[in-house]
Amino acid sequence: MKFYLEELPYSYDALQPFMDKETVEIHYSKHHKAYVDNLNKLVENLNFNYSLEELLKNLENLPKEIVTGVKNNGGGHYNHTLFWKILTPEKQEISKEFLNEINKTFGSFENFKNQFEEAGKKHFGSGWVWLIKTNEGLKIVTTPNQDTPFNLGKPILAVDVWEHAYYLKYQNRRADYLSNIWNIINWQYVEKLYKE
Ligand code: MN
């Protein structure tokens, strides 16, 4: 086995009331686990020393017949591993230093949150909304399915907008899911990724 499902850094019910226990349990132990299992099956006969990120950045070097599968399942594993670390049950304030960076790009923290939520709401179908670090500064982007945004910049904040991420609690109300997500963002971790 080349890839592992990392332990969830909190209990299934820790993100309540903003993300319910059943959603976190199914999302992590069924959806995320399936991406890891499928990915391991796809690459079981390959010899490589790539990290997951390197693997996803070098899909063209893989046998043609597994490229799509690795992109989807490897992306699913990468995105969810990041997502769980970006969430926390401990209410966190954003640091002054990182807030200044946000304000420089988006004018204010409120503007940033509005633009991020808007991007997530407008994204059609399954996908992710991201805050990425680029040479030109911070940007909000979305990707379809389990695509990663490596070609656009370094991901530092990721929010899953697949229905499986919110449907049990919020049903069709993706906007409510997104406006509640700010209560459980691990700003310390986001800032760490920004500084790396
Ligand atoms: Mn998901």
Side-chain angles (χ1 to χ4, degrees), residues 27 31 35 80 128 146 160 162 164-165:
H27 199 172
H31 291 276
Y35 294 125
H80 287 88
W128 291 77
Q146 294 298 352
D160 193 341
W162 283 58
H164 69 225

Side-chain angles (χ1 to χ4, degrees), residues 11-192:
S11 61
Y12 291 140
D13 62 358
L15 303 176
Q16 299 196 113
F18 311 108
M19 203 178 276
D20 61 293
K21 181 185 178 202
E22 197 181 7
T23 295
V24 175
E25 181 166 3
I26 294 170
H27 199 172
Y28 170 80
S29 71
K30 307 286 185 200
H31 291 276
H32 187 174
K33 184 177 185 295
Y35 294 125
V36 180
D37 293 345
N38 291 337
L39 177 64
N40 278 323
K41 247 178 254 162
L42 285 161
V43 300
E44 67 187 349
N45 296 320
L46 295 183
N47 257 322
F48 62 87
N49 295 311
Y50 284 154
S51 68
L52 180 56
E53 185 169 341
E54 288 165 340
L55 186 71
L56 292 164
K57 287 176 174 171
N58 292 282
L59 289 170
E60 70 278 5
N61 297 337
L62 292 172
K64 270 202 186 69
E65 64 275 15
I66 66 166
V67 168
T68 303
V70 170
K71 183 184 180 199
N72 290 337
N73 292 287
H77 180 28
Y78 180 89
N79 295 347
H80 287 88
T81 300
L82 185 63
F83 183 54
W84 302 126
K85 288 178 183 165
I86 278 168
L87 300 179
T88 176
E90 289 143 36
K91 176 89 178 140
Q92 286 190 11
E93 295 303 324
I94 188 166
S95 77
K96 278 214 172 92
E97 198 185 344
F98 192 54
L99 185 59
N100 280 337
E101 294 302 315
I102 296 272
N103 288 344
K104 254 195 266 172
T105 309
F106 302 99
S108 70
F109 193 50
E110 278 311 302
N111 276 347
F112 159 69
K113 289 195 290 188
N114 287 338
Q115 285 181 37
F116 193 92
E117 289 174 37
E118 208 50 43
K121 270 190 279 182
K122 279 190 186 144
H123 181 81
F124 186 77
S126 297
W128 291 77
V129 54
W130 309 85
L131 180 65
I132 58 168
K133 184 184 172 183
T134 76
N135 291 336
E136 297 94 50
L138 293 170
K139 272 186 191 159
I140 294 166
V141 296
T142 62
T143 57
N145 306 315
Q146 294 298 352
D147 290 8
T148 54
F150 296 140
N151 56 331
L152 305 169
K154 178 192 162 102
I156 61 170
L157 173 56
V159 175
D160 193 341
V161 294
W162 283 58
E163 280 186 346
H164 69 225
Y166 60 86
Y167 206 85
L168 293 178
K169 179 175 173 66
Y170 296 97
Q171 290 83 48
N172 60 318
R173 302 185 308 278
R174 188 190 280 183
D176 291 350
Y177 160 68
L178 285 167
S179 63
N180 273 309
I181 203 86
W182 305 115
N183 292 294
I184 47 174
I185 295 292
N186 188 342
W187 288 109
Q188 281 174 20
Y189 189 68
V190 173
E191 190 170 349
K192 180 175 168 273

